[in-house]
Amino acid sequence: MKKNKGLKKISTIILALIAWFGLGLQLYLTFQTTANTGFSSVKTITNFLSYFTILSNILAALTLTTSLTGPGSFFSRTTVQSAIAAYIFIVFVVYNLVLRGIWQPQGWQLLADNLLHVAVPVLYISWWRIFAPKQVLLWKDLFPWLIFPAGYLIYSLVRGPMANWYPYPFLDVAKHGYGQVALNSFFVFVAFVLVSLGAIAVNRSGTKNR
């Protein structure tokens, strides 16, 4: 038991540091492009926080950090940690299957890119699978999990025309029109439902932690 607790603590610290480093590096690199984009500092930060990747990694980093202080916080709840696992799995899948080929990052940007889209998702999901309490999730947990991605979609579609900027090409209404974006969003939302149901099934089928 003590060995498992020690392993969990060390793993959590290392993963939290990786997540925060990746986020900090990406923010720094984002500011380096300000001169090229012509965006103000406020818009640069707002755009940075408008990526689902960034938000999911922030949630993962917060969960890992607050879990070190013990149970009792919102982010220490198994249902919250599991929802974040579903979100960041979607980040991993959508980026690596759909978005990776549309640009070729180099140097530090390549490192930040792989930290946020590969390393943190894979490590966080592994951490969740190993250490999250088993057989505690319910099928109805799916519904509150969908609030965040639904809210994100609404925010992106409302802010996009106002800022003349969209975080992801498949949400670009100016380029694709509302019909195509609605279809794209539908498929992504279905992916969220299926992945969330999968996460719940995995938890319910696992052996209870001892």
Side-chain angles (χ1 to χ4, degrees):
M1 180 67 73
K2 290 183 178 180
K3 183 177 180 181
N4 289 339
K5 287 184 177 180
L7 178 61
K8 179 180 180 180
K9 184 174 183 180
I10 293 173
S11 302
T12 303
I13 292 173
I14 293 174
L15 182 48
L17 290 174
I18 293 173
W20 286 120
F21 174 76
L23 287 164
L25 177 60
Q26 184 58 64
L27 179 60
Y28 169 78
L29 294 172
T30 299
F31 270 111
Q32 299 306 300
T33 65
T34 301
N36 296 328
T37 60
F39 296 154
S40 66
S41 295
V42 172
K43 186 171 183 179
T44 298
I45 294 175
T46 305
N47 286 354
F48 174 78
L49 294 174
S50 295
Y51 284 99
F52 193 84
T53 293
I54 297 300
L55 296 176
S56 297
N57 274 269
I58 289 175
L59 289 174
L62 285 173
T63 291
L64 294 162
T65 304
T66 56
S67 69
L68 293 170
T69 63
S73 69
F74 173 78
F75 288 101
S76 67
R77 300 175 183 174
T78 302
T79 182
V80 174
Q81 295 177 353
S82 303
I84 295 170
Y87 301 155
I88 210 159
F89 180 78
I90 290 291
V91 167
F92 173 81
V93 171
V94 172
Y95 182 81
N96 287 286
L97 292 184
V98 179
L99 301 176
R100 180 174 286 278
I102 67 175
W103 76 319
Q104 291 77 41
Q106 303 292 328
W108 286 107
Q109 183 59 68
L110 179 61
L111 174 61
D113 193 62
N114 283 305
L115 284 174
L116 298 177
H117 295 101
V118 180
V120 174
V122 170
L123 292 173
Y124 180 85
I125 292 169
S126 300
W127 177 88
W128 167 78
R129 184 70 182 92
I130 295 170
F131 297 116
K134 307 302 188 295
Q135 298 184 11
V136 297
L137 296 180
L138 303 174
W139 294 112
K140 66 181 181 180
D141 289 327
L142 166 71
F143 300 106
W145 291 12
L146 297 178
I147 294 174
F148 176 63
Y152 174 81
L153 174 62
I154 294 171
Y155 163 79
S156 299
L157 295 180
V158 170
R159 181 178 182 266
M162 298 170 60
N164 194 29
W165 180 88
Y166 292 87
Y168 299 105
F170 57 83
L171 293 178
D172 192 338
V173 174
K175 181 177 181 180
H176 301 295
Y178 280 102
Q180 184 61 51
V181 169
L183 184 61
N184 296 341
S185 301
F186 171 77
F187 285 123
V188 173
F189 193 75
V190 168
F192 272 106
V193 173
L194 295 177
V195 169
S196 297
L197 290 174
I200 295 172
V202 167
N203 180 271
R204 289 172 61 88
S205 65
T207 302
K208 286 188 176 181
N209 297 356
R210 296 183 182 272

